[in-house]
Amino acid sequence: MSEQPKTPVRASGGCLCGGVRYEIRGPLRDVIACHCSQCRRTSGHFVAASQARSADLALLESTTLKWYRSSPEAERGFCSRCGGNLFWRPDAAEPAVTSIMAGTLDAPTGLRVMQHIFVADKSDYYEIGDTAP
Ligand SMILES: [Zn+2]
Ligand SMILES: [Zn+2]
């Protein structure tokens, strides 16, 4: 038997109930906050997400993971037991990527909010309080 070289785990995470657990075995992008209405309605506020290549995302537990097609271009992964929002996966990205809701990452993440997007679509009850563009 030969030893398989293992890519080191960069980060891990999961949903509240533990029905979904994952590891990322590759680089993670800094966090982008999306204020669009789809992100607002699935998250309850706005989405703050990192991103990794889908090939680097390993699902350790996924018994409760469900996918919802939220637009013609993408689907969202969530836990059907605790309701946790975990993933956003665009169809067309090459190489394939998966956005990972940053709050589901085990801390410390070492990441920073780098950008806000769809700011014009944000709701009216909060202001963006950091200095990221
Ligand atoms: Zn769960
Ligand atoms: Zn969004």
Side-chain angles (χ1 to χ4, degrees), residues 15-19 64 79 82:
C15 67
L16 179 60
C17 76
T64 59
C79 175
C82 71

Side-chain angles (χ1 to χ4, degrees), residues 53-54 92-98:
R53 291 172 72 135
S54 299
E94 187 58 50
V97 293
T98 302

